Each structure stands twice: as structure tokens, then as C-alpha cells.
Amino acid sequence: VQLVESGGGLVQAGGSLRLSCTASGFTFVGTAVGWFRQAPGKEREGVSGISSRDGNSYYSDSVKGRFTISTDSAKTTVYLQMNSLKPEDTAVYYCATEPLPAIGLKSSILKGVGPLSPLNSWGQGTQVTVSS
């Protein structure tokens, strides 16, 4: 049971990246998947999440309107499309899961804070660097 994040890189402000979170050995059925990020010297914060049941998605205020989360039909990969990137988006981005109803994960993301409940299957993270 493993999550693998990919798609990070170096981009100029205003640019775009698409991150992927791929499940190995399981699917996201019955869970919500969330993206979190952690910048140097800062706490981990929730960014976006999606329910595998109905596709309901949610975002922190800091990324709303710029980021879009989605999942593939097989429910093995969750994407985070990041547009209009800003230098303050620079961080290591992680994905994690929580069994539905995933109240803790959703609350973390809506509040833009770190995990409020134990989350499963953290990946190793992917670095996103936005230059000004």
C-alpha cells in the first residue's frame, strides 16, 4: 500500500503544473484523497481534497480558483492542476487518504491547516518551486 506523488518542478510565477498522486496496491474507492503542502520552516497545510464516492471537491482559500483536483475513472490516480502559480505556492506537496466520510481530512483542507485526524498512506512528496 503506497502513494506516489509526481509532477513537481520549477516554474515561473503565473505558470502551471499538474501533480499526480498514484495508488499502488489499492484504489481510492471508499476514501477521500487530500493534497497537503509544507514549505520550509512552516507547518503542513491542507490544499485540496476529493471524495471518491461522489467527486465532491474542496479547497483551501489560498488556492481556491487556481487549483483543480480530479480523479481518473479507475480511482487509482488523483490529479492536482495548479494554475496561476505564485511564489508562496512553493512547497513539498504530499497526498494522503482517509476513509469516508473523511471529516478530519475535509476540515483540514477547508481550514488550510495540517491533518486534524490520522491519515493513511502518505507519499514521499514532490517539490514545487515557483520563481518570481
Side-chain angles (χ1 to χ4, degrees):
V1 176
Q2 187 179 6
L3 289 176
V4 179
E5 301 97 337
S6 62
L10 173 63
V11 64
Q12 289 188 330
S16 299
L17 285 173
R18 189 175 81 155
L19 305 184
S20 298
C21 170
T22 301
S24 176
F26 69 107
T27 72
F28 295 131
V29 173
T31 74
V33 181
W35 283 97
F36 292 78
R37 66 186 182 186
Q38 188 164 17
K42 294 188 176 181
E43 297 291 321
R44 192 167 294 191
E45 62 178 18
V47 174
S48 181
I50 187 167
S51 167
S52 66
R53 177 177 296 152
D54 55 11
N56 181 45
S57 59
Y58 30 92
Y59 304 88
S60 66
D61 286 344
S62 62
V63 306
K64 193 177 299 181
R66 300 189 296 122
F67 291 10
T68 303
I69 192 170
S70 62
T71 186
D72 67 344
S73 58
K75 293 185 170 50
T76 58
T77 302
V78 168
Y79 304 99
L80 186 66
Q81 178 67 43
M82 306 187 298
N83 299 328
S84 302
L85 282 162
K86 304 175 181 179
E88 51 263 45
D89 294 318
T90 295
V92 178
Y93 284 70
Y94 302 89
C95 59
T97 66
E98 183 175 9
L100 292 172
I103 295 172
L105 185 148
K106 185 173 183 178
S107 182
S108 301
I109 288 164
L110 291 176
K111 293 179 180 180
V113 299
L116 296 175
S117 58
L119 301 182
N120 298 330
S121 307
W122 287 95
Q124 83 290 346
T126 186
Q127 176 71 48
V128 171
T129 303
V130 185
S131 62
S132 57

